[in-house]
Amino acid sequence: MLETKHTTAVSSPVLRPIRRSPHLREVLCLLAAFAIIGQFIFAFQYCSIKLFPEATNDHAANSTLGFGGIYAVSRKGSPRRQSLLRAASLTNLNVNIPAQPAWTDKDLARIKAPVNSALDRGSAMAWLGHRNALEKFLKSSHDTALIMEDDVDWDTRLRTQQIPQTAYAIRELLNSRPGGYYGDLRSWDIIWLGHCGDFFNASRGSDITSIKSFHDPTMPNMDELHPWTKGFLQEIGANENQQRLVHQSVRPLCTFAYAITRSAAERVLNELTIREPTRHRDHPCGAYDVRLLEGCRDEGLRCISVNPELFHHSNIGSEIAQMTEDRRTDGGESEQEGAGDSPTTNIRCSARSRRWRELQDSITDPSIDAGILVRELAELSKDCYIDGL
Ligand SMILES: *[C@@H]1O[C@H](CO)[C@@H](O)[C@H](O)[C@H]1NC(C)=O
Ligand SMILES: *[C@@H]1O[C@H](CO)[C@@H](O)[C@H](O)[C@H]1NC(C)=O
């Protein structure tokens, strides 16, 4: 019916000039054809991001998540340290906390851009803290390290379920299965496991070349994700519930947790983050995480993002913001101890929830090792065990 009408319309007197101009019509036809083919290609590539089969090898990762070591960026006397170590112990992670020097005003001034600096005190200390962790990593003999900030949270099934799946997806993405746990170490620089968003318009077709996606039953449901994360996933066609992606980074922000190879750490230390780059006052760099984003986006670092993220900062208040307000260098040890019950963004089963501690304390039978029991409930439950408490 529609076609008949259309034909009638085309032959109507109003459109005669088009009929008399075969060139224009051919061009229009060609354009329409290209548009249709283009849409078809987009639809094929992006409208629905296909899941690939789950890993058959579902052994838990080791206590350093398949990296050489895990290093936390944490200043002396950080009120977050104790709950970080407790969460690490709950989920069988071996986390190093390298000592940080007490940064002096001179140290802070040294890394600020000489003009138009946008580094506030908290961000400058974070910048130095990340550099310190990278230096400690390079003093070790490890090939890779995971650097995390001391206020991050993760799912209790990180080591047992999430990392094995994610590492498999990354090996697929890099097409280097016979290599290491995360594929050939020569084929990546940074794996962004924890961030506050790497959002892009894949439908534009230019942002990304490939995406590997897998079903992750430990992920929050679509409606429980941060609205921006949910919007992003739906926009790029990852419409299935609990669909996690790995892909080349586009513009990942926030350095909650990232894995880095030795050669990349050398480059970040000796080239990219020696100090805040001098910029026009309207476009400052302003923070270590922005510098790392620039490294990935503009300066040749080969970065991979896990999306949604596996680490996100817990809702215990931003120390950077707080320090900037208070200009404090030392905080009380007990303050902010343990995450509250407000859920961590995009993390389903919080390792930092104080309910794990409460559960452990409630087990009073002396014949039971409460620590081991709670650890098993945390790491091996299909669902989030503390939900029901
Ligand atoms: C974990 O696995 C990685 C990669 O195989 C290895 O380099 C690292 O030493 C292992 N860590 C531990 C604690 O066994
Ligand atoms: C995606 O594209 C739309 C339309 O061009 C734009 O409004 C939106 O901000 C873009 N999103 C991102 C994350 O770049």
Side-chain angles (χ1 to χ4, degrees):
M1 271 310 195
L2 216 65
E3 272 173 19
T4 320
K5 258 188 188 163
H6 195 69
T7 317
T8 321
V10 168
S11 58
S12 82
V14 185
L15 293 176
R16 281 246 169 87
I18 290 178
R19 292 188 77 194
R20 272 201 236 113
S21 155
H23 274 312
L24 180 59
R25 212 168 68 171
E26 273 163 25
V27 169
L28 285 176
C29 273
L30 269 177
L31 283 178
F34 280 135
I36 289 166
I37 291 169
Q39 271 175 15
F40 187 78
I41 290 170
F42 281 144
F44 183 70
Q45 283 190 307
Y46 297 114
C47 283
S48 167
I49 293 179
K50 296 244 161 52
L51 298 168
F52 68 86
E54 281 165 47
T56 43
N57 172 359
D58 54 1
H59 293 310
N62 67 17
S63 63
T64 49
L65 300 177
F67 302 109
I70 303 179
Y71 297 85
V73 177
S74 181
R75 69 187 172 80
K76 192 161 175 272
S78 164
R80 285 83 171 278
R81 206 177 267 197
Q82 215 179 333
S83 80
L84 171 76
L85 290 174
R86 222 180 263 152
S89 155
L90 177 71
T91 53
N92 275 306
L93 298 189
N94 184 353
V95 177
N96 287 305
I97 307 186
Q100 288 188 17
W103 306 116
T104 61
D105 286 345
K106 220 169 148 190
D107 294 326
L108 299 178
R110 187 165 44 86
I111 53 138
K112 287 191 183 184
V115 285
N116 297 337
S117 173
L119 267 193
D120 58 38
R121 192 177 172 82
S123 302
M125 292 182 89
W127 188 301
L128 289 166
H130 276 274
R131 284 185 57 86
N132 181 66
L134 292 179
E135 280 162 5
K136 293 291 151 60
F137 158 43
L138 289 180
K139 281 194 187 127
S140 78
S141 57
H142 301 313
D143 289 335
T144 56
L146 178 68
I147 312 290
M148 61 161 77
E149 295 178 353
D150 74 350
D151 63 345
V152 295
D153 200 358
W154 59 87
D155 191 290
T156 54
R157 290 131 333 147
L158 177 72
R159 190 183 67 88
T160 49
Q161 296 183 51
Q162 294 181 332
I163 288 291
Q165 275 289 311
T166 302
Y168 172 62
I170 289 173
R171 293 194 297 271
E172 291 281 314
L173 182 76
L174 296 171
N175 204 6
S176 60
R177 240 165 303 172
Y181 194 70
Y182 292 90
D184 187 339
L185 284 187
R186 291 163 304 184
S187 58
W188 58 271
D189 292 314
I190 288 178
I191 302 174
W192 222 299
L193 294 170
H195 52 79
C196 52
D198 186 354
F199 303 134
F200 52 89
N201 276 329
S203 54
R204 278 204 320 243
S206 58
D207 279 330
I208 207 136
T209 52
S210 67
I211 293 176
K212 294 287 176 198
S213 164
F214 54 95
H215 174 64
D216 182 348
T218 65
M219 227 175 100
N221 287 319
M222 188 66 98
D223 286 335
E224 290 157 358
L225 291 170
H226 189 284
W228 294 357
T229 309
K230 178 183 165 187
F232 157 72
L233 289 174
Q234 291 181 334
E235 192 189 334
I236 66 163
N239 294 308
E240 294 200 32
N241 200 31
Q242 301 182 316
Q243 195 174 351
R244 209 185 289 281
L245 323 172
V246 298
H247 56 81
Q248 277 175 277
S249 301
V250 180
R251 33 180 173 273
L253 205 58
C254 305
T255 39
F256 295 152
Y258 56 96
I260 187 162
T261 63
R262 220 180 161 77
S263 56
E266 278 162 4
R267 215 190 134 202
V268 168
L269 268 178
N270 302 327
E271 184 188 331
L272 296 175
T273 68
I274 296 172
R275 70 187 310 173
E276 179 193 14
T278 301
R279 295 275 163 80
H280 188 277
R281 131 174 68 82
D282 295 339
H283 309 283
C285 172
Y288 177 83
D289 66 322
V290 177
R291 193 68 196 117
L292 220 52
L293 179 159
E294 292 173 352
C296 294
R297 191 191 53 193
D298 310 325
E299 299 182 50
L301 287 178
R302 295 158 305 163
C303 304
I304 295 168
S305 293
V306 181
N307 215 342
E309 65 278 14
L310 297 174
F311 293 83
H312 200 100
H313 77 74
S314 59
N315 293 315
I316 52 178
S318 161
E319 188 173 20
I320 291 178
Q322 191 186 332
M323 285 191 46
T324 304
E325 273 170 33
D326 303 356
R327 298 182 63 85
R328 283 193 329 179
T329 49
D330 278 308
E333 188 65 44
S334 60
E335 191 182 1
Q336 295 184 337
E337 181 46 46
D341 279 335
S342 62
T344 304
T345 302
N346 293 346
I347 304 299
R348 176 72 187 76
C349 194
S350 161
R352 286 180 93 141
S353 169
R354 63 162 70 97
R355 275 181 287 168
W356 295 110
R357 182 76 179 177
E358 288 162 6
L359 175 64
Q360 190 171 332
D361 290 346
S362 73
I363 301 168
T364 50
D365 183 340
S367 67
I368 295 173
D369 187 326
I372 290 179
L373 175 62
V374 170
R375 204 186 269 182
E376 281 177 1
L377 293 173
E379 285 205 297
L380 302 176
S381 291
K382 272 246 169 287
D383 302 313
C384 183
Y385 188 80
I386 50 171
D387 277 356
L389 302 181

